[in-house]
Each structure stands twice: as C-alpha cells, then as structure tokens.
Amino acid sequence: MLSPFEVVEPRGAESPVLVEVPHAGVHMDPESLSWTIAPARSIGRDADLYVDALFQDAPAEGATLLFSRMSRLVVDLNRSEADYDGDAVEGGGRAPYPRGLIWRVTTDGEPILTSRLPRSEVERRLDRFYRPYHRSLSAILARKRERFGFAILLCAHSMPSQSRRGAEGAVGRADIVPGTRGRTTAASPVIDAVDQHARTCGFSVRHDDPYKGGFSTAHYGQPHRAVHAVQIEIARRLYMDEQSLAMDGQGFTAVRDFGRTLVARLTSAELLGQLRRNPLDAREI
C-alpha cells in the first residue's frame, strides 16, 4: 500500500528547518474514491502540484522535508479536526464551510461528495491519514527544538495566479505570498528573511495577502515556545501551465532554485545566530 506521506531527512548536517508540503499529492484511496464524484481535473486543479518537487533540495541544505501523497479531497491536512460543516459530514457544524477538513465543493464549484459522510468515514480518514501526518510533523519539530533550542517550519503551498472572478473580475496575485497571521507565528528575523529573499530573487511579494497562513502555521507557529512558522504561497504561473497542469521546465528550474536558496537562507549562520541571541521559552509544543 502506498504510504500516505514521506519524510526525507537531511543529507549531511541537520538544521532546525522543517519544510512541510501537505497539498501536492493527488492520490485517493479506494474507500475515499467511493464517496467522490468530483471530476478528475479537480483533483489536479485543487492540488499544489509539483510543490514537493520544488523543495526537493531542502534536505541537501540540512532541512527535513515532509510531504503528503494524498489528495486534499480525501482530508485537508491544513485544517483542524473540527473544521467541517453539516453539509459535508453528518453532525457537522451549522456554519457553511465548503472547503474545511472535508471538502464538499471544488474551487471550480463542482460537488465532491456523493452524500454527507458518516462520522465513521471521517474518523477512518483521520486515523489513516491526518493524525499520523501531524504526529510526524509534531515529533520532527520537537526533535529539532530539543537539539537546537528552536525550530523553523516552512509550510509550502502554491496558489492560483488570479483570484476567483468576482464582480470586478479576477485579480492578479503577487508571485510569492508569505503568511504569518499578522507577523504572529514567527520571530521578525525569520519573517524578514523570507520576504527579503523572495524580493532579492526578483519576485513580487505581498505578505498575508490573500493568504495569512492556515492551520499548520497557526497551530505550530508559536515563537514564545521556540517554534517559528511561515506559510509560503507560490503563484502557479511561475512554474506550470494552469490550464493543462503541465510543468514549465524553465520556470520550474527557477522556482526550484528559489526553494533551495530560501531554505539555505533560513539555515544561515546569520539567521540562526539572531535566534540564539534571543532565548525563547522551551516548554512543550
């Protein structure tokens, strides 16, 4: 059976950095498929395609790489366990939440589920995919914090290059959108390093706009507990054709180099020295 996620440990000296990629996968297990009516194109369009490959060089820079192989239409690893509504899951919350832990509508507006999922099916997905992933993520962060005194989590995603079409039409997005929920999920040196590196590489940057950081960024990003988290969204136009979903080889190479050098920047002696000079609370995550 295909492992739902993979951990690639550093090659050579380890650093405090963990890169997690929760949405690049497109695999769906047979049980989940039996509940799914979404068209195949939606599985690809709603994935962060190729982001695991964009950060494949992270272990060579001392970081640990964690990526999921499962489609987010099975269970969204960047949501909390309780984030779903009653139209998706029997007994779910009343507030509409069509793209929570269990998605019921694709970003193209297509229905995903044959019917509301029973709680037993949600628990199966949590036990099989969600909880093991987050146990692994938590354990890696705890290990790094124990060894280095702090840990840095880079939550890697991609985004459609334009917003959904509204009353005024679609709106173009920046090349890179770092998210830290109003600069609350990481110390300033970490946040500034990400923003500045993207600009140095020639990319346009809008911090927290339109994505401020999802569950992993908010849940694990606790600087007062010595864990710094930054979500990074990469505009898909930079490295792929958003209609055919094909990789753009030249663009991919450029963004892959950005991913490698960003991880190197986060593991630089200068940045790590800044964090060491500012002792942080070492309580348990």
Side-chain angles (χ1 to χ4, degrees), residues 122-176:
V122 178
E123 283 294 323
R124 184 193 70 83
R125 298 184 190 194
L126 289 170
D127 285 342
R128 178 72 180 88
F129 308 116
Y130 183 98
R131 289 168 181 151
Y133 179 90
H134 281 283
R135 281 197 297 268
S136 182
L137 197 164
S138 296
I140 295 167
L141 290 176
R143 182 191 79 205
K144 288 178 179 289
R145 192 181 61 173
E146 176 68 22
R147 177 172 179 180
F148 298 101
F150 54 86
I152 300 173
L153 175 63
L154 185 65
C155 306
H157 298 257
S158 70
M159 60 184 173
S161 299
Q162 293 187 322
S163 67
R164 296 188 189 94
R165 187 172 297 277
E168 299 180 358
V171 177
R173 292 170 172 162
D175 296 330
I176 304 293

Short mmCIF file of all heavy atoms in Angstrom, two decimals, residues 122-176:
data_model
loop_
_atom_site.label_atom_id
_atom_site.label_comp_id
_atom_site.label_asym_id
_atom_site.label_seq_id
_atom_site.Cartn_x
_atom_site.Cartn_y
_atom_site.Cartn_z
N VAL A 122 -15.20 9.79 8.44
CA VAL A 122 -14.28 10.87 8.81
C VAL A 122 -13.22 10.35 9.77
O VAL A 122 -12.02 10.64 9.62
CB VAL A 122 -15.06 12.04 9.45
CG1 VAL A 122 -14.08 13.14 9.88
CG2 VAL A 122 -16.07 12.61 8.47
N GLU A 123 -13.63 9.56 10.75
CA GLU A 123 -12.67 9.00 11.71
C GLU A 123 -11.67 8.10 11.01
O GLU A 123 -10.48 8.08 11.35
CB GLU A 123 -13.40 8.24 12.81
CG GLU A 123 -14.03 9.13 13.86
CD GLU A 123 -12.98 9.89 14.66
OE1 GLU A 123 -11.92 9.33 14.96
OE2 GLU A 123 -13.24 11.07 14.99
N ARG A 124 -12.13 7.34 10.02
CA ARG A 124 -11.20 6.48 9.27
C ARG A 124 -10.13 7.32 8.59
O ARG A 124 -8.94 6.99 8.65
CB ARG A 124 -11.97 5.66 8.23
CG ARG A 124 -11.10 4.67 7.46
CD ARG A 124 -11.81 4.12 6.24
NE ARG A 124 -11.97 5.12 5.20
CZ ARG A 124 -11.01 5.43 4.30
NH1 ARG A 124 -9.82 4.84 4.35
NH2 ARG A 124 -11.25 6.34 3.38
N ARG A 125 -10.55 8.41 7.96
CA ARG A 125 -9.58 9.27 7.27
C ARG A 125 -8.65 9.96 8.26
O ARG A 125 -7.45 10.11 7.99
CB ARG A 125 -10.33 10.30 6.42
CG ARG A 125 -11.19 9.68 5.32
CD ARG A 125 -11.84 10.74 4.44
NE ARG A 125 -12.84 10.16 3.54
CZ ARG A 125 -13.36 10.77 2.49
NH1 ARG A 125 -12.99 12.04 2.22
NH2 ARG A 125 -14.25 10.18 1.73
N LEU A 126 -9.18 10.37 9.39
CA LEU A 126 -8.33 10.99 10.41
C LEU A 126 -7.28 10.01 10.91
O LEU A 126 -6.10 10.34 11.03
CB LEU A 126 -9.18 11.51 11.57
CG LEU A 126 -10.05 12.74 11.29
CD1 LEU A 126 -11.02 12.97 12.45
CD2 LEU A 126 -9.19 13.98 11.08
N ASP A 127 -7.73 8.79 11.23
CA ASP A 127 -6.81 7.79 11.78
C ASP A 127 -5.79 7.31 10.75
O ASP A 127 -4.63 7.04 11.10
CB ASP A 127 -7.59 6.58 12.30
CG ASP A 127 -8.31 6.87 13.62
OD1 ASP A 127 -7.93 7.86 14.30
OD2 ASP A 127 -9.25 6.12 13.96
N ARG A 128 -6.21 7.22 9.50
CA ARG A 128 -5.34 6.66 8.46
C ARG A 128 -4.36 7.70 7.90
O ARG A 128 -3.21 7.37 7.61
CB ARG A 128 -6.20 6.09 7.32
CG ARG A 128 -5.42 5.52 6.15
CD ARG A 128 -4.74 4.22 6.49
NE ARG A 128 -4.01 3.69 5.36
CZ ARG A 128 -2.74 3.99 5.07
NH1 ARG A 128 -2.08 4.83 5.83
NH2 ARG A 128 -2.15 3.44 4.03
N PHE A 129 -4.82 8.94 7.77
CA PHE A 129 -4.01 9.94 7.06
C PHE A 129 -3.65 11.17 7.91
O PHE A 129 -2.48 11.53 8.00
CB PHE A 129 -4.76 10.41 5.80
CG PHE A 129 -5.23 9.29 4.93
CD1 PHE A 129 -6.58 9.06 4.72
CD2 PHE A 129 -4.32 8.43 4.33
CE1 PHE A 129 -7.01 8.02 3.92
CE2 PHE A 129 -4.74 7.37 3.53
CZ PHE A 129 -6.10 7.17 3.33
N TYR A 130 -4.63 11.78 8.51
CA TYR A 130 -4.43 13.08 9.17
C TYR A 130 -3.59 12.97 10.44
O TYR A 130 -2.58 13.68 10.59
CB TYR A 130 -5.80 13.68 9.48
CG TYR A 130 -5.77 15.07 10.09
CD1 TYR A 130 -5.96 16.20 9.29
CD2 TYR A 130 -5.59 15.25 11.46
CE1 TYR A 130 -5.96 17.47 9.84
CE2 TYR A 130 -5.58 16.52 12.01
CZ TYR A 130 -5.76 17.62 11.20
OH TYR A 130 -5.75 18.88 11.76
N ARG A 131 -3.99 12.10 11.35
CA ARG A 131 -3.30 12.05 12.64
C ARG A 131 -1.87 11.55 12.53
O ARG A 131 -0.98 12.11 13.16
CB ARG A 131 -4.13 11.22 13.63
CG ARG A 131 -5.40 11.95 14.06
CD ARG A 131 -6.38 11.08 14.79
NE ARG A 131 -7.59 11.83 15.15
CZ ARG A 131 -8.79 11.30 15.28
NH1 ARG A 131 -8.97 9.98 15.08
NH2 ARG A 131 -9.82 12.06 15.61
N PRO A 132 -1.59 10.52 11.71
CA PRO A 132 -0.18 10.13 11.55
C PRO A 132 0.68 11.24 10.98
O PRO A 132 1.84 11.41 11.39
CB PRO A 132 -0.26 8.92 10.61
CG PRO A 132 -1.63 8.36 10.83
CD PRO A 132 -2.50 9.55 11.06
N TYR A 133 0.14 11.99 10.02
CA TYR A 133 0.89 13.10 9.43
C TYR A 133 1.25 14.12 10.49
O TYR A 133 2.40 14.55 10.60
CB TYR A 133 0.06 13.73 8.31
CG TYR A 133 0.71 14.92 7.62
CD1 TYR A 133 1.51 14.74 6.50
CD2 TYR A 133 0.50 16.22 8.08
CE1 TYR A 133 2.10 15.82 5.86
CE2 TYR A 133 1.08 17.31 7.44
CZ TYR A 133 1.88 17.11 6.34
OH TYR A 133 2.46 18.18 5.70
N HIS A 134 0.27 14.52 11.29
CA HIS A 134 0.54 15.56 12.28
C HIS A 134 1.36 15.03 13.46
O HIS A 134 2.12 15.80 14.07
CB HIS A 134 -0.77 16.20 12.74
CG HIS A 134 -1.28 17.21 11.75
ND1 HIS A 134 -0.74 18.47 11.65
CD2 HIS A 134 -2.23 17.12 10.79
CE1 HIS A 134 -1.35 19.14 10.69
NE2 HIS A 134 -2.26 18.33 10.14
N ARG A 135 1.24 13.75 13.77
CA ARG A 135 2.15 13.19 14.78
C ARG A 135 3.58 13.26 14.31
O ARG A 135 4.50 13.60 15.08
CB ARG A 135 1.76 11.73 15.10
CG ARG A 135 0.58 11.59 16.04
CD ARG A 135 0.51 10.19 16.62
NE ARG A 135 0.29 9.17 15.62
CZ ARG A 135 -0.91 8.72 15.25
NH1 ARG A 135 -2.00 9.23 15.80
NH2 ARG A 135 -1.02 7.78 14.33
N SER A 136 3.80 12.95 13.04
CA SER A 136 5.14 13.02 12.49
C SER A 136 5.65 14.45 12.47
O SER A 136 6.80 14.73 12.87
CB SER A 136 5.15 12.44 11.07
OG SER A 136 6.44 12.46 10.51
N LEU A 137 4.81 15.38 12.03
CA LEU A 137 5.19 16.79 11.98
C LEU A 137 5.56 17.28 13.38
O LEU A 137 6.60 17.92 13.59
CB LEU A 137 4.03 17.60 11.40
CG LEU A 137 4.30 19.02 10.87
CD1 LEU A 137 3.13 19.46 9.99
CD2 LEU A 137 4.53 20.02 11.97
N SER A 138 4.73 16.98 14.36
CA SER A 138 4.98 17.41 15.75
C SER A 138 6.28 16.81 16.29
O SER A 138 7.05 17.50 16.96
CB SER A 138 3.81 17.01 16.65
OG SER A 138 2.63 17.66 16.28
N ALA A 139 6.51 15.52 15.99
CA ALA A 139 7.71 14.86 16.51
C ALA A 139 8.98 15.47 15.90
O ALA A 139 9.99 15.63 16.60
CB ALA A 139 7.64 13.36 16.21
N ILE A 140 8.94 15.79 14.62
CA ILE A 140 10.12 16.39 13.98
C ILE A 140 10.41 17.76 14.58
O ILE A 140 11.56 18.09 14.89
CB ILE A 140 9.91 16.49 12.46
CG1 ILE A 140 9.81 15.10 11.83
CG2 ILE A 140 11.07 17.27 11.81
CD1 ILE A 140 9.30 15.11 10.40
N LEU A 141 9.38 18.57 14.78
CA LEU A 141 9.58 19.89 15.38
C LEU A 141 10.12 19.76 16.80
O LEU A 141 11.03 20.51 17.21
CB LEU A 141 8.27 20.68 15.39
CG LEU A 141 7.75 21.16 14.03
CD1 LEU A 141 6.39 21.83 14.21
CD2 LEU A 141 8.75 22.13 13.39
N ALA A 142 9.58 18.82 17.57
CA ALA A 142 10.05 18.63 18.95
C ALA A 142 11.51 18.20 18.97
O ALA A 142 12.30 18.66 19.80
CB ALA A 142 9.17 17.60 19.65
N ARG A 143 11.88 17.32 18.03
CA ARG A 143 13.27 16.87 17.95
C ARG A 143 14.21 18.02 17.63
O ARG A 143 15.28 18.17 18.25
CB ARG A 143 13.39 15.79 16.88
CG ARG A 143 14.79 15.19 16.72
CD ARG A 143 14.86 14.34 15.47
NE ARG A 143 15.01 15.13 14.26
CZ ARG A 143 14.62 14.71 13.06
NH1 ARG A 143 14.04 13.53 12.90
NH2 ARG A 143 14.82 15.48 12.00
N LYS A 144 13.81 18.83 16.67
CA LYS A 144 14.66 19.95 16.28
C LYS A 144 14.76 20.99 17.40
O LYS A 144 15.83 21.55 17.64
CB LYS A 144 14.13 20.57 14.98
CG LYS A 144 14.36 19.69 13.75
CD LYS A 144 13.79 20.29 12.50
CE LYS A 144 14.05 19.40 11.27
NZ LYS A 144 15.47 19.39 10.87
N ARG A 145 13.66 21.25 18.05
CA ARG A 145 13.72 22.23 19.13
C ARG A 145 14.59 21.72 20.28
O ARG A 145 15.33 22.49 20.90
CB ARG A 145 12.31 22.55 19.63
CG ARG A 145 12.29 23.77 20.54
CD ARG A 145 10.90 24.07 21.03
NE ARG A 145 10.39 22.96 21.81
CZ ARG A 145 9.24 23.01 22.48
NH1 ARG A 145 8.49 24.09 22.42
NH2 ARG A 145 8.83 21.98 23.18
N GLU A 146 14.51 20.43 20.55
CA GLU A 146 15.35 19.85 21.60
C GLU A 146 16.82 19.96 21.24
O GLU A 146 17.67 20.27 22.09
CB GLU A 146 14.96 18.38 21.80
CG GLU A 146 15.81 17.63 22.81
CD GLU A 146 15.60 18.10 24.23
OE1 GLU A 146 14.55 18.70 24.52
OE2 GLU A 146 16.51 17.86 25.06
N ARG A 147 17.14 19.76 19.98
CA ARG A 147 18.54 19.78 19.56
C ARG A 147 19.09 21.19 19.41
O ARG A 147 20.22 21.47 19.82
CB ARG A 147 18.69 19.03 18.23
CG ARG A 147 20.10 19.06 17.69
CD ARG A 147 20.27 18.16 16.48
NE ARG A 147 21.64 18.23 15.97
CZ ARG A 147 22.07 17.54 14.92
NH1 ARG A 147 21.24 16.72 14.29
NH2 ARG A 147 23.31 17.66 14.52
N PHE A 148 18.28 22.10 18.85
CA PHE A 148 18.80 23.43 18.50
C PHE A 148 18.30 24.55 19.41
O PHE A 148 18.82 25.66 19.35
CB PHE A 148 18.43 23.77 17.05
CG PHE A 148 19.02 22.83 16.04
CD1 PHE A 148 18.26 21.82 15.47
CD2 PHE A 148 20.35 22.94 15.65
CE1 PHE A 148 18.80 20.95 14.54
CE2 PHE A 148 20.91 22.07 14.72
CZ PHE A 148 20.12 21.07 14.16
N GLY A 149 17.29 24.25 20.22
CA GLY A 149 16.71 25.29 21.06
C GLY A 149 15.52 25.97 20.42
O GLY A 149 14.78 26.70 21.08
N PHE A 150 15.29 25.73 19.13
CA PHE A 150 14.15 26.28 18.39
C PHE A 150 13.99 25.49 17.10
O PHE A 150 14.89 24.73 16.71
CB PHE A 150 14.35 27.78 18.08
CG PHE A 150 15.65 28.08 17.38
CD1 PHE A 150 15.76 27.99 16.00
CD2 PHE A 150 16.77 28.44 18.11
CE1 PHE A 150 16.95 28.26 15.37
CE2 PHE A 150 17.97 28.71 17.48
CZ PHE A 150 18.07 28.61 16.10
N ALA A 151 12.86 25.67 16.45
CA ALA A 151 12.60 25.02 15.17
C ALA A 151 11.94 26.03 14.24
O ALA A 151 11.26 26.96 14.70
CB ALA A 151 11.69 23.81 15.35
N ILE A 152 12.15 25.85 12.95
CA ILE A 152 11.55 26.71 11.93
C ILE A 152 10.74 25.83 10.98
O ILE A 152 11.29 24.90 10.37
CB ILE A 152 12.62 27.48 11.13
CG1 ILE A 152 13.44 28.37 12.07
CG2 ILE A 152 11.97 28.32 10.03
CD1 ILE A 152 14.63 29.03 11.40
N LEU A 153 9.45 26.12 10.87
CA LEU A 153 8.56 25.37 9.98
C LEU A 153 8.21 26.23 8.78
O LEU A 153 7.66 27.33 8.93
CB LEU A 153 7.28 24.98 10.74
CG LEU A 153 6.18 24.30 9.93
CD1 LEU A 153 6.66 22.96 9.37
CD2 LEU A 153 4.93 24.12 10.78
N LEU A 154 8.51 25.73 7.59
CA LEU A 154 8.14 26.39 6.35
C LEU A 154 7.02 25.58 5.73
O LEU A 154 7.22 24.43 5.30
CB LEU A 154 9.33 26.48 5.40
CG LEU A 154 9.11 27.27 4.10
CD1 LEU A 154 8.84 28.74 4.39
CD2 LEU A 154 10.31 27.12 3.17
N CYS A 155 5.81 26.15 5.70
CA CYS A 155 4.63 25.48 5.16
C CYS A 155 4.50 25.86 3.69
O CYS A 155 4.12 26.99 3.37
CB CYS A 155 3.39 25.90 5.93
SG CYS A 155 3.51 25.66 7.73
N ALA A 156 4.83 24.94 2.79
CA ALA A 156 4.97 25.26 1.36
C ALA A 156 3.70 24.91 0.59
O ALA A 156 3.22 23.77 0.64
CB ALA A 156 6.16 24.53 0.78
N HIS A 157 3.19 25.89 -0.15
CA HIS A 157 1.96 25.75 -0.92
C HIS A 157 2.12 26.46 -2.26
O HIS A 157 3.08 27.20 -2.48
CB HIS A 157 0.78 26.40 -0.18
CG HIS A 157 0.47 25.77 1.13
ND1 HIS A 157 -0.58 24.91 1.32
CD2 HIS A 157 1.07 25.91 2.35
CE1 HIS A 157 -0.62 24.53 2.59
NE2 HIS A 157 0.38 25.12 3.23
N SER A 158 1.14 26.25 -3.14
CA SER A 158 1.03 27.07 -4.35
C SER A 158 -0.38 27.61 -4.43
O SER A 158 -1.30 27.12 -3.75
CB SER A 158 1.37 26.26 -5.61
OG SER A 158 0.36 25.31 -5.87
N MET A 159 -0.56 28.63 -5.26
CA MET A 159 -1.88 29.27 -5.36
C MET A 159 -2.20 29.59 -6.81
O MET A 159 -1.29 29.82 -7.62
CB MET A 159 -1.89 30.57 -4.54
CG MET A 159 -0.88 31.60 -5.00
SD MET A 159 -0.85 33.08 -3.95
CE MET A 159 0.57 33.93 -4.68
N PRO A 160 -3.50 29.62 -7.16
CA PRO A 160 -3.86 30.13 -8.47
C PRO A 160 -3.33 31.55 -8.63
O PRO A 160 -3.31 32.33 -7.67
CB PRO A 160 -5.40 30.12 -8.44
CG PRO A 160 -5.75 29.10 -7.40
CD PRO A 160 -4.67 29.20 -6.37
N SER A 161 -2.89 31.88 -9.81
CA SER A 161 -2.24 33.17 -10.03
C SER A 161 -3.21 34.34 -9.98
O SER A 161 -2.80 35.49 -9.82
CB SER A 161 -1.51 33.17 -11.37
OG SER A 161 -0.50 32.18 -11.38
N GLN A 162 -4.51 34.04 -10.12
CA GLN A 162 -5.54 35.07 -10.01
C GLN A 162 -6.61 34.62 -9.04
O GLN A 162 -6.84 33.42 -8.85
CB GLN A 162 -6.17 35.35 -11.37
CG GLN A 162 -5.23 36.00 -12.37
CD GLN A 162 -5.97 36.41 -13.64
OE1 GLN A 162 -6.85 35.70 -14.12
NE2 GLN A 162 -5.60 37.55 -14.18
N SER A 163 -7.27 35.60 -8.42
CA SER A 163 -8.39 35.29 -7.54
C SER A 163 -9.56 34.76 -8.35
O SER A 163 -9.60 34.88 -9.58
CB SER A 163 -8.81 36.55 -6.78
OG SER A 163 -9.36 37.50 -7.69
N ARG A 164 -10.53 34.17 -7.66
CA ARG A 164 -11.75 33.78 -8.34
C ARG A 164 -12.43 35.03 -8.89
O ARG A 164 -12.38 36.09 -8.28
CB ARG A 164 -12.68 33.05 -7.38
CG ARG A 164 -12.11 31.73 -6.87
CD ARG A 164 -13.17 30.97 -6.08
NE ARG A 164 -12.56 29.82 -5.42
CZ ARG A 164 -12.10 29.84 -4.18
NH1 ARG A 164 -12.19 30.94 -3.46
NH2 ARG A 164 -11.55 28.77 -3.64
N ARG A 165 -13.09 34.88 -10.01
CA ARG A 165 -13.72 36.03 -10.66
C ARG A 165 -14.88 36.55 -9.83
O ARG A 165 -15.80 35.82 -9.49
CB ARG A 165 -14.20 35.63 -12.06
CG ARG A 165 -14.72 36.81 -12.88
CD ARG A 165 -14.98 36.35 -14.31
NE ARG A 165 -13.76 35.92 -14.96
CZ ARG A 165 -12.89 36.73 -15.53
NH1 ARG A 165 -13.09 38.04 -15.50
NH2 ARG A 165 -11.81 36.25 -16.11
N GLY A 166 -14.81 37.80 -9.46
CA GLY A 166 -15.88 38.44 -8.70
C GLY A 166 -16.56 39.51 -9.53
O GLY A 166 -16.49 39.50 -10.77
N ALA A 167 -17.20 40.45 -8.83
CA ALA A 167 -17.95 41.50 -9.53
C ALA A 167 -17.04 42.34 -10.41
O ALA A 167 -17.47 42.83 -11.46
CB ALA A 167 -18.66 42.38 -8.51
N GLU A 168 -15.78 42.51 -10.00
CA GLU A 168 -14.86 43.33 -10.76
C GLU A 168 -13.88 42.48 -11.57
O GLU A 168 -12.85 42.97 -12.02
CB GLU A 168 -14.10 44.26 -9.81
CG GLU A 168 -15.02 45.23 -9.05
CD GLU A 168 -14.25 46.13 -8.12
OE1 GLU A 168 -13.01 45.97 -8.05
OE2 GLU A 168 -14.87 46.98 -7.48
N GLY A 169 -14.19 41.21 -11.73
CA GLY A 169 -13.31 40.32 -12.47
C GLY A 169 -12.23 39.72 -11.59
O GLY A 169 -12.15 39.99 -10.39
N ALA A 170 -11.39 38.88 -12.18
CA ALA A 170 -10.30 38.24 -11.44
C ALA A 170 -9.20 39.27 -11.15
O ALA A 170 -8.96 40.18 -11.93
CB ALA A 170 -9.74 37.07 -12.24
N VAL A 171 -8.54 39.07 -10.02
CA VAL A 171 -7.47 39.97 -9.59
C VAL A 171 -6.17 39.20 -9.54
O VAL A 171 -6.10 38.10 -8.97
CB VAL A 171 -7.78 40.57 -8.20
CG1 VAL A 171 -6.64 41.45 -7.73
CG2 VAL A 171 -9.09 41.36 -8.25
N GLY A 172 -5.14 39.74 -10.15
CA GLY A 172 -3.83 39.09 -10.13
C GLY A 172 -3.22 39.11 -8.75
O GLY A 172 -3.44 40.02 -7.95
N ARG A 173 -2.44 38.08 -8.46
CA ARG A 173 -1.78 37.95 -7.17
C ARG A 173 -0.28 38.13 -7.32
O ARG A 173 0.28 37.99 -8.40
CB ARG A 173 -2.09 36.59 -6.56
CG ARG A 173 -3.55 36.44 -6.14
CD ARG A 173 -3.91 35.03 -5.77
NE ARG A 173 -5.25 34.96 -5.19
CZ ARG A 173 -5.96 33.85 -5.09
NH1 ARG A 173 -5.48 32.70 -5.54
NH2 ARG A 173 -7.16 33.89 -4.54
N ALA A 174 0.37 38.41 -6.20
CA ALA A 174 1.82 38.53 -6.19
C ALA A 174 2.45 37.18 -6.53
O ALA A 174 1.80 36.13 -6.48
CB ALA A 174 2.30 39.01 -4.83
N ASP A 175 3.73 37.21 -6.87
CA ASP A 175 4.44 35.96 -7.14
C ASP A 175 4.54 35.08 -5.90
O ASP A 175 4.33 33.87 -5.96
CB ASP A 175 5.86 36.26 -7.63
CG ASP A 175 5.89 37.00 -8.96
OD1 ASP A 175 4.98 36.80 -9.77
OD2 ASP A 175 6.85 37.78 -9.17
N ILE A 176 4.87 35.70 -4.78
CA ILE A 176 5.08 34.99 -3.53
C ILE A 176 4.26 35.66 -2.43
O ILE A 176 4.31 36.87 -2.27
CB ILE A 176 6.58 35.01 -3.11
CG1 ILE A 176 7.46 34.43 -4.23
CG2 ILE A 176 6.78 34.26 -1.79
CD1 ILE A 176 7.27 32.96 -4.50
#
